[in-house]
């Protein structure tokens, strides 16, 4: 008699302040204090045992208090490799007034032992956009949509 083993699907998706961290429900905000930094501000962790397409959407930076305008920026997403010089670029998008997104397609894999994927994000701001912005705190929302499996 032959029996086929079909493991339950695994999907765990969360943001983290470090690439090694486990899920922390209290981590909801990453602060940008140096708009010229090339250090990742946060990481996206996906732990799955099946191929899944993922879209990461970014909203414009808008003032958190009543004010007008937004700050344009470019965000790039990288597969994190513990060595910033070897990180693999996934994609990038320019955000200026409307939302943007980066889509990545799931790797060819079959159900089995979960694999942990870590992605980092680098934000780039133009000095002119920062200089022309109204004083205050600005906010942007990052949304992850996972399909498939």
């Amino acid at each position: 008699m032959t029996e086929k083993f079909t493991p339950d699907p695994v999907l765990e998706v969360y943001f983290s302040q470090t690439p090694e961290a486990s899920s922390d429900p209290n981590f909801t905000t990453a602060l940008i204090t140096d708009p010229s930094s090339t250090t990742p501000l946060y990481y996206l962790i996906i732990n799955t045992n099946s191929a899944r397409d993922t879209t990461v959407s970014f909203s414009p930076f808008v003032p958190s208090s009543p004010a007008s305008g937004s700050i344009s920026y470019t965000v790039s997403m990288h597969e994190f490799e513990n060595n910033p010089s070897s990180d693999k670029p996934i994609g990038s998008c320019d955000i200026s007034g409307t939302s943007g997104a980066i889509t990545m397609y799931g790797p060819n894999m079959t159900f089995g032992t979960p694999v942990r994927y870590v992605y980092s994000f680098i934000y780039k701001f133009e000095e002119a956009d920062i200089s022309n912005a109204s004083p205050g705190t600005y906010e942007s929302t990052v949304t992850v949509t996972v399909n498939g499996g």
Side-chain angles (χ1 to χ4, degrees):
M1 178 173 167
T2 305
E3 188 173 324
K4 183 178 178 183
F5 172 69
T6 306
D8 292 330
V10 172
L11 176 62
E12 183 181 27
V13 179
Y14 59 92
F15 292 107
S16 173
Q17 291 178 305
T18 65
E20 302 84 17
S22 59
S23 179
D24 177 1
N26 295 319
F27 177 68
T28 58
T29 303
L31 298 175
I32 299 175
T33 55
D34 179 3
S36 63
S37 176
T38 58
T39 302
L41 298 171
Y42 60 94
Y43 300 85
L44 171 64
I45 315 296
I46 300 176
N47 189 29
T48 186
N49 65 348
S50 63
R52 299 176 187 272
D53 296 342
T54 304
T55 301
V56 184
S57 302
F58 304 87
S59 71
F61 272 99
V62 295
S64 57
S65 61
S68 62
S70 64
I71 299 176
S72 299
Y73 65 99
T74 300
V75 61
S76 59
M77 182 173 172
H78 306 264
E79 188 172 344
F80 185 73
E81 296 280 340
N82 285 331
N83 177 355
S85 64
S86 66
D87 287 355
K88 298 174 189 166
I90 301 294
S92 68
C93 60
D94 295 319
I95 314 297
S96 59
T98 60
S99 298
I102 299 171
T103 299
M104 54 188 173
Y105 300 98
N108 293 326
M109 61 187 298
T110 57
F111 276 112
T113 303
V115 177
R116 186 172 191 269
Y117 298 93
V118 180
Y119 303 96
S120 63
F121 301 90
I122 304 293
Y123 286 77
K124 181 180 179 196
F125 298 88
E126 296 297 328
E127 183 59 40
D129 294 329
I130 297 291
S131 297
N132 292 328
S134 300
T137 302
Y138 286 72
E139 299 175 347
S140 172
T141 301
V142 180
T143 305
V144 178
T145 306
V146 181
N147 298 308

